[in-house]
Amino acid sequence: MKLLVTNIDILAGIGHDGKRCLKGDEMARIDTIEHAYLYVEDGRIASYGKRSDMPQIDSDTTVVDAEGGAVLPSFCDSHTHIVYAGSREGEFVDKIRGLSYAEIAKRGGGILNSADRLHELSEDELYTQAMKRVDEVIRKGTGAIEIKSGYGLNLEDELKMLRVIRRIKETSPVKVVANFLGAHAVGRAFAGRQKEYVDHVINDMLPAVAKENLADFIDVFCDEGFFTPDETRRILKAGAKYGLRGKIHAEELAVSGGVDVAVECDALSVDHLEAMDDHDIELLKNTNTIPTALPGTSFFLNMPFAPARKMIQAGLPMAIASDYNPGSTPSGDMKFAVSLACIKMRLMPAEAINAATLNSACAMGLSEDYGSITKGKVANFYITDPIPSIDFIPYAYTTPIIRRIFLKGVEYRK
């Protein structure tokens, strides 16, 4: 299959050949070509450049007119929880009334609320709900996504979630990676017996997940009121024995020690970081762990934002993800996350876009094939309406500028 996109006013996010991620000052640069073309063969980018250098095409090439719009690599969303049952707007109202995230959790809400609801649904029902959200995020420009379990909190329901994620992988054109998050909270059946629950995750859940090859990563919510650094370390090391690389929720509610464990265990990413301090930033230097900010969570929960500016000034790479979930971030709109990164975390537009594309692909281990317009990479991109510059994307924070979406070089239609 051959595809030629022509009449592109701005082709952005090009190059990065051989770059796993962008660090520090590198994030401020987003290369562009004006009056460009993009050529795709068999779902991968074959060439791009000035329209005047456009290759000759044959009769079996599909030609797409960008009509003066911009073309950018699809967003990569490295942190979501989109397999869940129903909504939690009642807790949204509780937050407005003044209850904190931790207070809602102590009253039996939060993650445990979602676990209760998920237990009642079949795999088919969960899949149907989740696919509506998958369609939603694709239409908002996302082309690669990590989906976590963690609303099961017992063996059967965690496996149910991961089987739904596998089904999404098999039936959706979006690139999906699966993350086993059995240690999202302590299941109700283990209330008051957290050590036993950790043993259950390690001794019962992990072998079953590995036997069915249901996960690409393993994750732990290492934070105040959830799992300790020692418990997190135990779980990640157990996961490594099954070939599952670690990722960690950390420093959302307090300085938790999660960054220390992430670095020690060579976690691929450490996510949230709203409460991270200078010690954490120093620890992350010269490591393979990608700090990942979730600005939608800070916005929705009215809490501090991750210190992105400090991370970049320290020379770190940084990724942005949505955290799409029913309790703390009921949105998978990566364009809005990019806008929040600019408005609230003081990132420049190029930094925010790089964080949401190449660097977020890296936080899923996918940057060899996703996250930029690079020869040989998978042809996941979107075409916008005509816009004056790339800076317009985060500036116009609610304007629906995406006109057409291509995944693996095929236009997405539903």
Side-chain angles (χ1 to χ4, degrees):
M1 190 278 292
K2 300 174 184 178
L3 174 76
L4 177 69
V5 184
T6 186
N7 198 21
I8 302 169
D9 193 54
I10 308 169
L11 180 65
I14 61 174
H16 306 316
D17 301 66
K19 276 280 187 183
R20 172 178 173 264
C21 63
L22 300 175
K23 301 179 180 181
D25 292 344
E26 293 176 328
M27 292 182 63
R29 178 175 173 177
I30 185 163
D31 289 337
T32 62
I33 298 175
E34 295 183 353
H35 311 303
Y37 78 90
L38 175 65
Y39 182 59
V40 174
E41 285 189 356
D42 298 324
R44 291 186 177 264
I45 296 165
S47 68
Y48 58 83
K50 298 288 287 185
R51 198 182 321 153
S52 56
D53 299 324
M54 195 164 59
Q56 294 291 320
I57 62 170
D58 46 40
S59 58
D60 62 348
T61 300
T62 300
V63 179
V64 170
D65 186 349
E67 300 180 55
V71 170
L72 287 93
S74 297
F75 296 119
C76 299
D77 192 348
S78 62
H79 187 128
T80 81
H81 306 256
I82 64 172
V83 174
Y84 62 82
S87 56
R88 282 163 37 193
E89 66 273 10
E91 293 176 15
F92 171 67
V93 175
D94 286 340
K95 293 183 186 85
I96 295 170
R97 288 177 174 144
L99 292 182
S100 70
Y101 181 85
E103 287 169 332
I104 290 169
K106 285 179 182 177
R107 289 170 42 162
I111 295 165
L112 294 181
N113 186 356
S114 283
D116 293 340
R117 295 183 178 197
L118 184 137
H119 180 71
E120 301 300 324
L121 292 190
S122 69
E123 286 186 25
D124 284 345
E125 290 169 321
L126 273 177
Y127 172 78
T128 298
Q129 284 195 21
M131 283 299 285
K132 290 179 181 178
R133 300 178 197 117
V134 171
D135 174 64
E136 171 197 344
V137 300
I138 291 173
R139 291 183 182 281
K140 290 180 179 291
T142 293
I145 186 168
E146 180 191 278
I147 307 176
K148 303 175 188 289
S149 69
Y151 293 132
L153 307 185
N154 61 56
L155 176 59
E156 292 76 15
D157 289 338
E158 284 294 311
L159 292 177
K160 178 166 66 175
M161 288 191 73
L162 288 164
R163 289 172 185 142
V164 169
I165 296 169
R166 179 174 62 190
R167 190 169 165 189
I168 296 168
K169 277 189 181 187
E170 293 169 349
T171 58
S172 173
V174 74
K175 175 66 177 178
V176 174
V177 296
N179 189 330
F180 167 52
L181 181 59
H184 199 192
V186 175
R188 288 199 192 276
F190 289 83
R193 298 181 292 136
Q194 183 155 320
K195 181 182 182 302
E196 291 180 40
Y197 182 74
V198 172
D199 291 340
H200 179 51
V201 171
I202 292 171
N203 298 327
D204 301 320
M205 292 187 187
L206 251 176
V209 170
K211 183 178 180 180
E212 293 190 41
N213 194 28
L214 291 172
D216 303 295
F217 299 103
I218 186 169
D219 205 332
V220 182
F221 192 175
C222 180
D223 217 322
E224 186 177 79
F226 291 88
F227 295 93
T228 68
D230 285 343
E231 291 165 339
T232 302
R233 187 179 294 107
R234 278 191 65 207
I235 293 168
L236 292 193
K237 287 186 175 180
K241 293 178 182 177
Y242 292 96
L244 299 179
R245 191 169 179 187
K247 305 188 81 173
I248 299 182
H249 288 57
E251 267 76 349
E252 177 184 1
L253 307 175
V255 176
S256 65
V259 173
D260 298 72
V261 179
V263 171
E264 177 188 340
C265 295
D266 192 34
L268 180 57
S269 75
V270 59
D271 303 12
H272 275 292
L273 305 175
E274 292 88 351
M276 84 182 301
D277 58 17
D278 291 345
H279 167 76
D280 292 329
I281 291 175
E282 196 65 29
L283 273 177
L284 286 166
K285 289 182 178 179
N286 303 312
T287 72
N288 294 316
T289 302
I290 305 290
T292 301
L294 310 174
T297 307
S298 298
F299 170 78
F300 191 74
L301 295 182
N302 197 26
M303 63 192 295
F305 287 76
R309 194 71 267 145
K310 279 189 173 184
M311 286 190 256
I312 292 173
Q313 288 170 349
L316 297 180
M318 198 201 74
I320 290 170
S322 75
D323 195 20
Y324 194 174
N325 75 79
S328 62
T329 327
S331 169
D333 190 334
M334 285 293 285
K335 177 179 176 294
F336 183 54
V338 166
S339 293
L340 286 175
C342 295
I343 297 163
K344 293 293 188 179
M345 299 196 300
R346 314 308 298 170
L347 265 62
M348 298 301 292
E351 292 172 329
I353 292 170
N354 283 326
T357 51
L358 185 69
N359 282 9
S360 196
C362 185
M364 293 184 274
L366 298 178
S367 56
E368 184 175 335
D369 282 320
Y370 298 87
S372 64
I373 303 293
T374 303
K375 291 178 184 178
K377 285 194 178 184
V378 175
N380 281 11
F381 60 91
Y382 59 84
I383 302 174
T384 73
D385 291 326
I387 57 176
S389 72
I390 298 305
D391 295 351
F392 184 83
I393 295 171
Y395 160 78
Y397 67 98
T398 62
T399 302
I401 62 169
I402 295 175
R403 182 194 300 159
R404 301 176 74 173
I405 294 148
F406 292 80
L407 299 176
K408 301 176 186 174
V410 177
E411 185 161 14
Y412 180 73
R413 301 178 188 273
K414 188 175 178 182

